[in-house]
Amino acid sequence: MDKKSAEAHKATHLLHSLDEAVFRHPKKILSIIALITLFFAYQIPSVKMYSDFADLLPQEHTYIELHNEIKESFGGANVIIVGVEVEDGDIFTNEALEKIHRITMAVDSLPGINHNLVASVTHRNSRKVWMTPEGNVNSKSYYDPQGGEINPEALAQLRSDIVANPRVYGPLVSPDMKMALVKAQLNEGQLDYVKTFNEIQQMRIDEGAEGFKIHVTGQPMLVGWAYQYLDQIIEIFLFTALIMLSLLIFYFRKAYGVLIPLAAVVVSSIWGIGIISLFGYNLDPLGLVIPFLISARAMSHGIQIVERYYQELNKHADHQLSARLTFESLFRPGSLGVVSDAIGLLLIAIGSIPLNTKLAHYASLWALCIIITVLLAVPLLLSILPKPKNTEIKHNIFRNVGFACAEIISDQRAAKNALILAAVMLCGGWYFSSKVVIGESEPGSPILYQDHDYNISSKSVNDSFPGSEELYIVAETNEKGGIKRPEVLAALSDLQKHMLLDPEVGGSKGIPDLVKQVNRLLHNDDPRWTQIPNDQMYVGGLMFTYMMSSPIPGALNEFVDTDERIANLVFYYKDHQGETIRRAIHQAKEWITANEGKVEGLEIRLAGGTIGVTAAMNEAAYETNLWVLPLVFILIFLMVMFFYQSLAAGTMMFMAMLFATTLTYAYMGVTHMGININTVPIIAVGVGVGIDYSIYMMDRIRAEMVALQDLNAAVRKAISTTGLAISFTAITLIAGIVMWVILSDLRFQSDAALLLTVMVILNGAAAMLLVPSWVLVFKPKFICEAYQDEDGVIHA
């Protein structure tokens, strides 16, 4: 049997017959695509754009399970911290105390606030406790808003009373007494970030006065700031669209070259946003880079098709034949590239972060839609449109990139040098990749720039206080009232001492401290009695005494639950950098391991608060990164190997991905960009997107080898044709991305854009230089011995 006959290749002959059938009914198929587009367009108005804090949390992580259990009683990670700073003197003036109280009341009235977890020096829960001459324990608020002006002597006494209370002096009043904190928790089910942010900002305006600074930090404020830049994001999209349009006009200077790729973007975007609506998902303001990238990839595929169409028109007078040949040349490698994109996106769902799971579901389907909306629809559209009058491909500056690369990789010697250089860069990349940190690499939030109001506020608060970032460690006993057992309290006190060995810990708060303080108070304030009693009943009496001294119900709620079975220990840190969090969790686990089982019925659970929640997010991001990239590599390797029936083809793509990804991590290590829930999706998507270029190049070299039967000539021809489209699509994508760097006030978007730019450049270089070099040096059989059957399908 003739190996080139249709009989020898039944599967590909069937696919070729389907291709011909598709092009016999282009109008019918395009009408179906148009109807589906109208259906998806109808869904778009119901899509909402908002952030949901719960979507950021890996719900299956043990730390988040604990967070969900205790957030209503002890508090969660949605903390608002307001720092009222006095520029001259200290806070112990009538004007300053009145301002702190007004701000406290304003925070207490925020929407969704947990009123039981508001803390301030002027709040009714902050109280002076003392023993009367009759032996009774009494208490009163430090500040009485109805008490009128306080005289200097009373202010001096107030200062002394607060200094004597370690639960206020340090946690709520700074050691230099120049700043007071107002802290509050928001209930996660009732979060309204925009309203909360607007009310806080209005409070800052209302209370702003000469001699005072008002700092605000916390997760709700961070999300609120992100919402403030939605209009700016829309402006960036418009600028990006104008730049891409300008580049298309400059590159093609033809109506088809401009309008058809734009139409492909519009249609694929309508399908993508419609899919989001059908899933019932929301668009997150911080996650808009991924949808933008998918749309840009749709344009890239459209540009590849139109470029190839004009090349075919210069060979064949029949424009319908040119459209069909373009389809047959690009549909299979294009589909392979699109599926690679979709795999990178879908595998993000492996992690336990709901935000990434949602993104993986809709973005992977959106990417797959490009097969229909671009790879199929554009050639069909070109086949029914009138033949363009001017088919000449004019030279422009962008085309110089392809020609220059063709000159660089001119022969086998140059190819070997290119591969050696790539190997050296790969070794250097591995070294710098080791510098990448898990989590944040600097204080403040990486979502905003360091000179942003939010990060300045965070720095001011952390410079003045033991720390605004809290780690919750929960002690759980197996019986009601178990926390009152002296051996339990002694163990918790020892845990506190162990955690305080870390110089980054600014302080702690827990039930052992309270028991010691009340015990000392009941013994005439003798410091020798700052100890835990040996009798459980006596401990219970001390806790009851403290509770009864307060007219406010739930005086012990911040320390223990109502059954006195669970206690919360709080530790204060100055930042939530990756290194700080790892050290904190390691310190806690070290004590738990050393003391496990020593106290019967006691279990220590990690971890809550902002530190615990961030630790869970960092660990989830690390695990996702650990699984996603190897799986992306393996699956793309297997797909390419199966598609081309060649181990060499899969190996070539694997090496291209390895080169680009390793140097991407090296860039992250050099720029101190951490691996977190924001960067992991960008990296995974970048790998899938970047491999498109290499697939297109490899496929074109094979096609040219069949036509020219000269490997050097085939490589040069491929680089100077397909390479032109690759370089232009890469430049177009970078030109669009760079607007995020120049215009965005959200640092995360700028960093993500820079990361994507680096990935695009590296993947473009791999496709334009390394893939041709690999072919010239190793001469893989699936290229060098390729042939064309009678249907025009290429085989190895």
Side-chain angles (χ1 to χ4, degrees), residues 342-357:
I343 285 174
L345 288 161
L346 185 60
L347 288 177
I348 301 169
I350 288 176
S352 54
I353 298 170
L355 178 66
N356 287 348
T357 302

Side-chain angles (χ1 to χ4, degrees), residues 300-319:
S300 295
H301 287 289
I303 291 169
Q304 290 271 9
I305 292 170
V306 175
E307 173 80 13
R308 186 62 173 267
Y309 173 68
Y310 275 102
Q311 290 174 12
E312 294 293 343
L313 279 176
N314 283 285
K315 298 178 186 177
H316 311 283
D318 186 348
H319 74 284

Side-chain angles (χ1 to χ4, degrees), residues 136-155:
N136 298 320
V137 176
N138 208 346
S139 74
K140 69 172 184 178
S141 300
Y142 284 111
Y143 180 76
D144 181 6
Q146 308 298 325
E149 187 167 334
I150 308 173
N151 61 47
E153 292 77 13
L155 286 171

Side-chain angles (χ1 to χ4, degrees), residues 118-181:
V118 177
S120 163
V121 66
T122 64
H123 194 271
R124 63 184 183 276
N125 285 343
S126 295
R127 310 182 69 81
K128 175 185 177 181
V129 182
W130 73 95
M131 177 178 280
T132 65
E134 294 79 21
N136 298 320
V137 176
N138 208 346
S139 74
K140 69 172 184 178
S141 300
Y142 284 111
Y143 180 76
D144 181 6
Q146 308 298 325
E149 187 167 334
I150 308 173
N151 61 47
E153 292 77 13
L155 286 171
Q157 183 60 48
L158 175 61
R159 183 189 291 107
S160 299
D161 292 340
I162 285 176
V163 169
N165 187 348
R167 292 182 51 238
V168 178
Y169 182 61
L172 297 178
V173 176
S174 63
D176 62 5
M177 301 187 187
K178 284 185 169 292
M179 190 186 295
L181 290 188

